[in-house]
Amino acid sequence: MIETKEGTPVLPHHRLAFDELIQASQKACDALSEADDGLKREVLGHAGNRWSLGVVHALGVAGTLRHADLGRRLDGVSQRMLTRTLRHLERDGLIARHDFQEVPPRVTYSLTDLGRGLLTSMMPLWSWVIDNAPAFRAARRAYDADSR
Amino acid sequence: MIETKEGTPVLPHHRLAFDELIQASQKACDALSEADDGLKREVLGHAGNRWSLGVVHALGVAGTLRHADLGRRLDGVSQRMLTRTLRHLERDGLIARHDFQEVPPRVTYSLTDLGRGLLTSMMPLWSWVIDNAPAFRAARRAYDADSR
DNA sequence: CAGCATCCCGTTTGATACTG
DNA sequence: CAGTATCAAACGGGATGCTG
């Protein structure tokens, strides 16, 4: 069983600065719930997707890339999953697909303004994950050690 | 086929402010790749999880909640999925579980500092999604109309 | 080159019933 | 009350082969 550990700080009451952020978060959630609850996870779902963030990031850095270029930059991706990912991102308006209608085929992908917005909005979260990577690993170890 | 539409602004070159953010993103990605590439998606994967964000948010607002309380606040969740979600969040050190060892059973959950950090770091992304929800729906409609 | 079709596997999610 | 057990369905992800 997992108990509250002395090393894990669990404050009985919130800090004031955090409370303000919670208020904003509450408002944000309510606004989303009214509009479309599914949309939230659908958009944020790209974060949990294995390749989506890699594609968005690669396009952000390179500007415009072809299918094969992306496949080379994303280590281990199959054509099938790359195509699927690109379709999903395109469907959500995050990337733009440009088919030159040539033979041999030439298709390029680039970020839309929406895609750039997502990338920039992800930045704080991104850096937070990096800063707290050690904390995550420590939590994992503690959990695994405890459940043994 | 989906072509680049006139209504979808696709800049051939990047804007300067965006470029700087990309630089930072590049650095962030490199830092993560060196450390542990899997960790990134694993942590961010909570965003794509159906109930994780709801749990984190509910605990952020309420402070401390019991299993049944959470079940009531998350509309449509089954006990099974709630338990699974709580275990995953606990394993990653985002929430703390406190078992009072009483009869009848009493178990409470609350955010750890790490969980609070995630919630606050998600805020910019959160509000961005809300601001751009109409744009997403428009993109969806355009895509669906085009692929018909 | 871009990407679709097919088959396959493991995970996620859920409904229902049961337990300490 | 706070779970666990079980079964079934949906989805994500990958390997391979084929097409315009």
Side-chain angles (χ1 to χ4, degrees), chain B residues 37-49:
Chain B
D37 188 49
L39 182 70
K40 178 179 60 183
R41 276 184 309 101
E42 219 161 336
V43 173
L44 296 181
H46 288 295
N49 201 294

PDB file of all heavy atoms in Angstrom, chain B residues 37-49:
ATOM      1  N   ASP B  37      13.813  10.195 -23.626  1.00  0.00           N
ATOM      2  CA  ASP B  37      12.805  10.581 -24.604  1.00  0.00           C
ATOM      3  C   ASP B  37      11.424  10.075 -24.225  1.00  0.00           C
ATOM      4  O   ASP B  37      10.418  10.733 -24.431  1.00  0.00           O
ATOM      5  CB  ASP B  37      13.194  10.054 -25.995  1.00  0.00           C
ATOM      6  CG  ASP B  37      12.286  10.583 -27.064  1.00  0.00           C
ATOM      7  OD1 ASP B  37      12.071  11.804 -27.087  1.00  0.00           O
ATOM      8  OD2 ASP B  37      11.777   9.777 -27.855  1.00  0.00           O
ATOM      9  N   GLY B  38      11.381   8.894 -23.641  1.00  0.00           N
ATOM     10  CA  GLY B  38      10.088   8.316 -23.263  1.00  0.00           C
ATOM     11  C   GLY B  38       9.393   9.113 -22.182  1.00  0.00           C
ATOM     12  O   GLY B  38       8.169   9.223 -22.169  1.00  0.00           O
ATOM     13  N   LEU B  39      10.173   9.693 -21.299  1.00  0.00           N
ATOM     14  CA  LEU B  39       9.603  10.440 -20.171  1.00  0.00           C
ATOM     15  C   LEU B  39       8.698  11.567 -20.647  1.00  0.00           C
ATOM     16  O   LEU B  39       7.625  11.806 -20.086  1.00  0.00           O
ATOM     17  CB  LEU B  39      10.737  11.016 -19.321  1.00  0.00           C
ATOM     18  CG  LEU B  39      10.302  11.788 -18.081  1.00  0.00           C
ATOM     19  CD1 LEU B  39       9.717  10.836 -17.055  1.00  0.00           C
ATOM     20  CD2 LEU B  39      11.451  12.575 -17.509  1.00  0.00           C
ATOM     21  N   LYS B  40       9.136  12.241 -21.696  1.00  0.00           N
ATOM     22  CA  LYS B  40       8.392  13.377 -22.226  1.00  0.00           C
ATOM     23  C   LYS B  40       6.949  12.986 -22.524  1.00  0.00           C
ATOM     24  O   LYS B  40       6.012  13.543 -21.959  1.00  0.00           O
ATOM     25  CB  LYS B  40       9.067  13.868 -23.515  1.00  0.00           C
ATOM     26  CG  LYS B  40       8.373  15.019 -24.197  1.00  0.00           C
ATOM     27  CD  LYS B  40       9.158  15.410 -25.451  1.00  0.00           C
ATOM     28  CE  LYS B  40       9.252  14.237 -26.419  1.00  0.00           C
ATOM     29  NZ  LYS B  40      10.067  14.543 -27.606  1.00  0.00           N
ATOM     30  N   ARG B  41       6.768  12.005 -23.390  1.00  0.00           N
ATOM     31  CA  ARG B  41       5.416  11.623 -23.765  1.00  0.00           C
ATOM     32  C   ARG B  41       4.671  10.995 -22.605  1.00  0.00           C
ATOM     33  O   ARG B  41       3.460  11.087 -22.514  1.00  0.00           O
ATOM     34  CB  ARG B  41       5.453  10.650 -24.947  1.00  0.00           C
ATOM     35  CG  ARG B  41       5.545  11.365 -26.287  1.00  0.00           C
ATOM     36  CD  ARG B  41       5.484  10.362 -27.405  1.00  0.00           C
ATOM     37  NE  ARG B  41       6.436   9.285 -27.229  1.00  0.00           N
ATOM     38  CZ  ARG B  41       6.143   8.073 -26.774  1.00  0.00           C
ATOM     39  NH1 ARG B  41       4.911   7.780 -26.450  1.00  0.00           N
ATOM     40  NH2 ARG B  41       7.080   7.155 -26.651  1.00  0.00           N
ATOM     41  N   GLU B  42       5.428  10.371 -21.724  1.00  0.00           N
ATOM     42  CA  GLU B  42       4.774   9.702 -20.609  1.00  0.00           C
ATOM     43  C   GLU B  42       4.112  10.730 -19.694  1.00  0.00           C
ATOM     44  O   GLU B  42       2.979  10.547 -19.250  1.00  0.00           O
ATOM     45  CB  GLU B  42       5.796   8.875 -19.820  1.00  0.00           C
ATOM     46  CG  GLU B  42       5.256   7.564 -19.349  1.00  0.00           C
ATOM     47  CD  GLU B  42       6.396   6.618 -18.997  1.00  0.00           C
ATOM     48  OE1 GLU B  42       7.518   6.780 -19.525  1.00  0.00           O
ATOM     49  OE2 GLU B  42       6.151   5.738 -18.194  1.00  0.00           O
ATOM     50  N   VAL B  43       4.824  11.796 -19.437  1.00  0.00           N
ATOM     51  CA  VAL B  43       4.274  12.851 -18.591  1.00  0.00           C
ATOM     52  C   VAL B  43       3.180  13.606 -19.338  1.00  0.00           C
ATOM     53  O   VAL B  43       2.080  13.818 -18.827  1.00  0.00           O
ATOM     54  CB  VAL B  43       5.381  13.830 -18.159  1.00  0.00           C
ATOM     55  CG1 VAL B  43       4.775  15.006 -17.418  1.00  0.00           C
ATOM     56  CG2 VAL B  43       6.399  13.120 -17.287  1.00  0.00           C
ATOM     57  N   LEU B  44       3.499  14.000 -20.565  1.00  0.00           N
ATOM     58  CA  LEU B  44       2.516  14.737 -21.345  1.00  0.00           C
ATOM     59  C   LEU B  44       1.352  13.841 -21.742  1.00  0.00           C
ATOM     60  O   LEU B  44       0.293  14.323 -22.113  1.00  0.00           O
ATOM     61  CB  LEU B  44       3.171  15.318 -22.599  1.00  0.00           C
ATOM     62  CG  LEU B  44       4.248  16.359 -22.328  1.00  0.00           C
ATOM     63  CD1 LEU B  44       4.803  16.892 -23.641  1.00  0.00           C
ATOM     64  CD2 LEU B  44       3.698  17.497 -21.487  1.00  0.00           C
ATOM     65  N   GLY B  45       1.573  12.544 -21.671  1.00  0.00           N
ATOM     66  CA  GLY B  45       0.516  11.606 -22.027  1.00  0.00           C
ATOM     67  C   GLY B  45      -0.706  11.750 -21.142  1.00  0.00           C
ATOM     68  O   GLY B  45      -1.816  11.407 -21.558  1.00  0.00           O
ATOM     69  N   HIS B  46      -0.501  12.283 -19.947  1.00  0.00           N
ATOM     70  CA  HIS B  46      -1.644  12.522 -19.074  1.00  0.00           C
ATOM     71  C   HIS B  46      -2.624  13.490 -19.713  1.00  0.00           C
ATOM     72  O   HIS B  46      -3.817  13.455 -19.428  1.00  0.00           O
ATOM     73  CB  HIS B  46      -1.173  13.079 -17.729  1.00  0.00           C
ATOM     74  CG  HIS B  46      -0.495  12.058 -16.878  1.00  0.00           C
ATOM     75  ND1 HIS B  46      -1.152  10.969 -16.383  1.00  0.00           N
ATOM     76  CD2 HIS B  46       0.782  11.947 -16.463  1.00  0.00           C
ATOM     77  CE1 HIS B  46      -0.299  10.238 -15.673  1.00  0.00           C
ATOM     78  NE2 HIS B  46       0.881  10.799 -15.713  1.00  0.00           N
ATOM     79  N   ALA B  47      -2.094  14.354 -20.586  1.00  0.00           N
ATOM     80  CA  ALA B  47      -2.971  15.328 -21.246  1.00  0.00           C
ATOM     81  C   ALA B  47      -3.926  14.611 -22.196  1.00  0.00           C
ATOM     82  O   ALA B  47      -5.070  15.013 -22.349  1.00  0.00           O
ATOM     83  CB  ALA B  47      -2.142  16.363 -21.992  1.00  0.00           C
ATOM     84  N   GLY B  48      -3.423  13.553 -22.819  1.00  0.00           N
ATOM     85  CA  GLY B  48      -4.260  12.823 -23.757  1.00  0.00           C
ATOM     86  C   GLY B  48      -5.173  11.816 -23.072  1.00  0.00           C
ATOM     87  O   GLY B  48      -6.103  11.313 -23.685  1.00  0.00           O
ATOM     88  N   ASN B  49      -4.889  11.576 -21.804  1.00  0.00           N
ATOM     89  CA  ASN B  49      -5.713  10.651 -21.036  1.00  0.00           C
ATOM     90  C   ASN B  49      -7.083  11.262 -20.785  1.00  0.00           C
ATOM     91  O   ASN B  49      -7.215  12.448 -20.540  1.00  0.00           O
ATOM     92  CB  ASN B  49      -5.016  10.348 -19.710  1.00  0.00           C
ATOM     93  CG  ASN B  49      -5.505   9.058 -19.111  1.00  0.00           C
ATOM     94  OD1 ASN B  49      -6.645   8.959 -18.722  1.00  0.00           O
ATOM     95  ND2 ASN B  49      -4.635   8.070 -19.062  1.00  0.00           N
TER      96      ASN B  49
END
